[in-house]
Amino acid sequence: MGDGAGCQLCSTPEDEAKAAAVYEKQLMRSYGAEGAPPIMLLIAYAYRQSGMLMVHRPESCYPGSGFTITDIRDVDIPLGKGISAPGRFLTTVRDTRTEQVLYWTRLGNRFPVSWDDQRRSIAMQNLAGLVPDGALIRFSIIDPDAKAAETTMMGFAKTLFESCGPSGRALLAGPINA
């Protein structure tokens, strides 16, 4: 997400320290195709989610990095046959840069779409004796055309899921959907 060095999850040293405390593994890649803007992929994974350490949501990260969120809405992200992830689509702007963001969070086999859902999901799983793992899967494209960016990223999410083996699908959609 940043414009250069450092973690693409966050752009300030304080945010990078928070991300390091929450996630054990992070994967950042950029994928390109001729004639299309690159898709930036971030997958951040934590073995255990608790009330103290939780997935870091783009709604707080982007404004903390100087972006203004100009549009945010819940979306259903089709991943594979009969499998989808409830997620969010954001349009963010900083100066002349418009970045479209598509993401979902997974806690165990649940997909919370807000901070409140996330806290509730962790609490319910903890009360059941479970400490769920957690993942943030985020795609972004620098492009002012939100509709085209959303279509591209939705297709990319489906292709990514379908090209993964069982452990990759479990990371993206939870163990029961692997």
Side-chain angles (χ1 to χ4, degrees), residues 17-24 45-49 53-56:
K18 287 178 191 173
V22 174
Y23 302 112
E24 285 89 14
Y45 178 78
Y47 295 107
R48 301 170 68 86
Q49 296 287 296
L53 295 175
M54 293 189 294
V55 167
H56 188 74

Side-chain angles (χ1 to χ4, degrees), residues 95-170:
D95 301 323
T96 60
R97 175 180 170 149
T98 301
E99 190 167 338
Q100 310 295 339
V101 180
L102 176 70
Y103 83 95
W104 71 91
T105 58
R106 182 191 57 74
L107 302 175
N109 286 314
R110 298 179 183 193
F111 299 90
V113 294
S114 70
W115 278 113
D116 288 340
D117 289 345
Q118 190 167 310
R119 283 188 207 96
R120 195 171 18 263
S121 177
I122 290 172
M124 296 305 290
Q125 291 182 70
N126 289 167
L127 287 171
L130 303 171
V131 179
D133 67 338
L136 166 71
I137 298 91
R138 187 191 77 206
F139 307 95
S140 63
I141 294 178
I142 299 170
D143 189 343
D145 186 344
K147 182 88 170 144
E150 181 179 359
T151 300
T152 299
M153 291 186 288
M154 289 276 195
F156 188 83
K158 186 173 189 240
T159 300
L160 177 65
F161 182 81
E162 290 174 345
S163 67
C164 288
S167 63
R169 288 190 299 273

Side-chain angles (χ1 to χ4, degrees), residues 22-57:
V22 174
Y23 302 112
E24 285 89 14
K25 297 183 183 238
Q26 294 180 41
L27 172 75
M28 292 171 250
R29 297 282 187 271
S30 183
Y31 296 89
E34 192 171 325
I39 296 175
M40 295 168 278
L41 165 67
L42 167 76
I43 300 175
Y45 178 78
Y47 295 107
R48 301 170 68 86
Q49 296 287 296
S50 68
M52 301 304 290
L53 295 175
M54 293 189 294
V55 167
H56 188 74
R57 303 181 77 82

